[in-house]
Amino acid sequence: DAVADVHGVLRSVTFRTALWLRGIPVAKIEKGREEKKDFIRGGGREMKPLEHTVIRYCDVFRKLGFVFDDPAPAVRRAHPNPMGEKSGTWVGFAPFSAQQGKTYPEPLAREAVRLLSERHSRVFIHSGGGAEVEFAREMERVYPNVTALFGRVDMAGEIDLIANLDCVVSMDSLVMHLASLVATPVVSVWGATHPGLGFFGYGCNPRGILQADLECRPCSVFGNKPCRFGDYRCLFDVTPALIAERVSELVGK
């Protein structure tokens, strides 16, 4: 009956155009590329946050005649705990991303794990495979209360675990959004990107945002541009101590 293109990339444009030429109604996402360029040029300072991507998704369906309110943020609900009975405070740590500008540097990640493991009963490291899981399993060997999650739970299990955590530390990446779906508090670390560009976890508490005040950031929408200085100072300025303190604030310790 209709096509709602919420992706807006070459393959979806080709698909929707082919069907539009056959008389099928189509609607496409407005990504606000020029707005985002202006936001980056302005460094995000004293600038109104751009429309959230979730709302941009909703607007595509509204163009096709659907009538509905913006979604309410998630609320906490009981989920099964794939890691068994919980005791004390449990914290998740997701230092990885597909882009270097959004990945917490390894020396800092090691120190963050140490601090979090000292302060909280259990720490769970969210990761992919390869070098990421090697790091997570090394931390597991060093600290008895650290658990590497890769290979132990599937996606549904990971969401269930996140729903049972007291807080998650995440970059601008998947785990932040998974936590937003189950209303788990998030400390989000922003390097090359910026929460005002519309990709902040929907409904997350802005109090959890950690970002450096540098003239050079944000430098990209997706964190995929190399650092102009070569040192990713935007990430190094968000220290492990800052992360640990913000987690303690959010969990009330």
Side-chain angles (χ1 to χ4, degrees), residues 23-244:
I24 296 177
V26 302
K28 65 182 179 68
I29 189 169
E30 300 296 337
K31 291 188 172 181
R33 288 187 174 93
E34 292 304 316
E35 299 171 69
K36 289 170 181 173
K37 289 178 183 177
D38 290 341
F39 192 97
I40 289 170
R41 282 192 288 266
R45 293 171 183 80
E46 299 180 5
M47 300 180 75
K48 181 181 178 180
L50 302 184
E51 186 172 54
H52 198 285
T53 303
V54 167
I55 307 305
R56 293 184 188 271
Y57 292 155
C58 293
D59 288 342
V60 179
F61 292 93
R62 289 171 178 141
K63 291 175 186 176
L64 293 172
F66 293 90
V67 179
F68 55 92
D69 295 330
D70 292 343
V75 295
R76 297 210 81 170
R77 294 188 175 92
H79 283 246
N81 190 338
M83 292 297 166
E85 186 176 352
K86 180 180 175 182
S87 176
T89 56
W90 289 15
V91 174
F93 183 44
F96 305 108
S97 166
Q99 309 297 341
Q100 189 173 357
K102 300 194 301 183
T103 298
Y104 204 48
E106 185 172 319
L108 302 186
R110 290 175 180 276
E111 176 64 6
V113 172
R114 184 186 71 81
L115 292 174
L116 293 173
S117 68
E118 286 179 353
R119 297 183 180 206
H120 305 287
S121 305
R122 293 191 69 177
V123 177
F124 298 89
I125 301 181
H126 306 261
S127 76
E132 294 183 11
V133 71
E134 288 178 12
F135 168 84
R137 288 173 180 168
E138 180 186 345
M139 295 296 96
E140 185 179 63
R141 290 191 294 270
V142 174
Y143 304 104
N145 61 339
V146 170
T147 300
L149 287 173
F150 184 80
R152 287 194 167 100
V153 292
D154 57 13
M155 179 64 77
E158 190 163 1
I159 293 173
D160 283 339
L161 174 63
I162 292 171
N164 283 280
L165 298 180
D166 296 283
C167 184
V168 169
V169 178
S170 175
M171 312 305 291
D172 169 18
S173 63
L174 172 65
V175 172
M176 172 179 63
H177 300 294
L178 296 182
S180 76
L181 293 175
V182 292
T184 294
V186 181
V187 171
S188 56
V189 178
W190 300 78
T193 57
H194 193 285
L197 286 165
F199 299 106
F200 182 50
Y202 192 76
C204 289
N205 186 348
R207 179 61 186 147
I209 294 172
L210 289 176
Q211 56 185 334
D213 184 13
L214 298 173
E215 291 291 333
C216 59
R217 66 168 298 274
C219 63
S220 71
V221 176
F222 302 110
N224 54 347
K225 293 184 178 179
C227 174
R228 72 184 69 171
F229 303 107
D231 57 9
Y232 291 94
R233 58 192 63 180
C234 58
L235 291 166
F236 279 90
D237 276 10
V238 182
T239 66
L242 285 173
I243 291 174

